[in-house]
Amino acid sequence: MMRDRAQALMIDLDGVLRRWDPAPMIAVEVEYGLKPASLLETAMSWDIYRPAMAGEITDAEWMRLVADRLPIEADRAAAAVAAWQSYRGEVDPEALAFVREVRAGGRKVAIATNATDRLRPDLDALGLTGEVDLVLSSWELKVHKPAPEYFQQACLQLRVLPKHVLFVDDDDRVIRGARAAGLSGYRWAGPQHVPYLRKVLDLPV
């Protein structure tokens, strides 16, 4: 049985539209005598990461919790986190070109991401705010991917039935959640698969 053609695109931000150079984080960890990857691992601790993504605490509160857990003096920990967070990533030009192509083809495009209240300022700084039709933030929806409620609310806001939405993300677990919610899910591993995604969206190849 063939699926319906997708009429809209939901695309993840981090790992797809935005990429992160690890060098700035490494430099901060070296400067402050922290173990490699300790900043990211601390921030991703589930008991503080989940409420930050679900809109229960602000980005600033989340970062204070990260600083509190670093094994260095409080003032140095706060400075380390501030230095780490000053770098906000870079736009992937090929992913952005794909988004522009989809919109030029008459399809809606939404950024669908787990994020904090810092998301919209980041999008402004990256020049992405005007590049999409809608921003679907877990912080604003109060539920994070891959929960089915996230995709239900996202499709309602996009005003497109799940079966008509193509969801692109770099996380297999999130892709499985999107498919379980009735969306077409595709794991982004780079622009080499854009021709296939054009077909799913019924765009010229």
Side-chain angles (χ1 to χ4, degrees):
M1 180 178 177
M2 294 189 64
R3 293 187 62 94
D4 296 287
R5 290 290 186 184
Q7 299 173 6
L9 171 68
M10 287 186 194
I11 190 166
D12 185 33
L13 179 62
D14 295 317
V16 183
L17 263 175
R18 173 166 62 178
R19 59 192 183 190
W20 298 90
D21 183 347
M25 182 180 72
I26 293 170
V28 171
E29 289 169 341
V30 169
E31 179 180 353
Y32 288 88
L34 296 167
K35 291 180 180 179
S38 59
L39 285 166
L40 187 58
E41 289 175 359
T42 303
M44 297 294 286
S45 299
W46 186 246
D47 63 319
I48 60 175
Y49 174 79
R50 189 207 61 77
M53 297 302 112
E56 296 173 11
I57 61 175
T58 65
D59 189 271
E61 289 169 331
W62 180 32
M63 289 300 110
R64 281 196 293 270
L65 291 170
V66 172
D68 288 345
R69 296 185 178 193
L70 296 179
I72 54 178
E73 298 85 352
D75 57 340
R76 284 175 51 77
V81 169
W84 171 44
Q85 289 293 293
S86 66
Y87 170 63
R88 304 310 299 166
E90 304 156 9
V91 175
D92 185 312
E94 292 173 303
L96 179 57
F98 173 58
V99 165
R100 289 173 173 170
E101 182 181 355
V102 174
R103 294 186 81 198
R107 306 291 186 267
K108 289 183 179 179
V109 177
I111 288 175
T113 184
N114 287 339
T116 69
D117 56 320
R118 193 167 181 175
L119 173 62
R120 291 188 182 270
D122 275 0
L123 295 179
D124 287 342
L126 292 166
L128 289 174
T129 300
E131 297 284 359
V132 295
D133 300 290
L134 191 63
V135 175
L136 301 164
S137 163
S138 65
W139 200 87
E140 294 172 2
L141 295 177
K142 306 304 180 188
V143 61
H144 56 81
K145 301 180 298 184
E149 294 83 3
Y150 175 91
F151 296 106
Q152 291 163 6
Q153 291 190 46
C155 289
L156 284 173
Q157 289 205 17
L158 193 57
R159 297 184 179 181
V160 179
L161 292 173
K163 67 179 182 178
H164 291 145
V165 176
L166 170 63
F167 176 76
V168 175
D169 199 290
D170 65 326
D171 187 325
D172 281 330
R173 181 168 171 262
V174 177
I175 291 296
R176 291 195 298 271
R179 289 173 178 166
L183 291 74
S184 294
Y186 194 84
R187 184 180 179 276
W188 179 266
Q192 63 269 28
H193 299 300
V194 165
Y196 170 79
L197 299 175
R198 288 194 191 106
K199 290 182 180 178
V200 177
L201 288 157
D202 201 22
L203 297 172
V205 177

